[in-house]
Amino acid sequence: MGERKIVAAGSGAALRLAKGQQLRIIDPEGGQSGDLVAFSTDGSERLSNGRTFDYGGKVYLSTGDVLWSDRSNPMLTIVADDVGRHDFLYASCSLEMFRMQHGVTGYHANCHDSLCGALREIGVDARPLPTAFNFFMAVEISPEGRLSFLPPRSKPGDSFVVRAEMDLAVAVSACPASTCNGGAPPRPLAYQLLD
Ligand SMILES: [Zn+2]
């Protein structure tokens, strides 16, 4: 089992997964969401929320569900999940989002830059970034279709595990947006290769 590595609050990390390898993503302190994106090693396929909804037929994903690529191949399967609530609708937070919605004038850490920067370090150009799997992020959809954020349901030490269904470059961020983290300041996440 691999070493447990920390994703510092508001930052990101990228790694390569061989087909069949399993990655555990952990919320050490609880109540913290993050983003995950994936690309095939040859760069021809990217994570797709739309294809995942096409083939899964639902927007709430958990154990047994598959995250599909934009070329209709399975990329990742969720094989364990302590939390059972994640979002795959929202785009990663970005500098533009913080400026438009929160009045930020200078730089603000954001998942878009964290994911793109981490992937650049392993030689992957992630732009334009696909919609990320917003793990631990609790989004409610009203009968009228309105979206609202609830605090993440993850408790300290909760995790989920994905298995790579192809050779992948994967990036994970610890989200600095307080709106989707119960109003709390940014906290770290962690990950561990299982085999
Ligand atoms: Zn974010």
Side-chain angles (χ1 to χ4, degrees), residues 33-35 91-94 97-98 109-112 134 137 173-177 180-181:
S33 69
D35 283 358
S92 295
C93 65
S94 67
M97 190 207 83
F98 282 106
N110 63 86
C111 289
H112 178 279
N134 305 304
M137 194 164 116
S173 64
C175 183
C180 49
N181 292 305

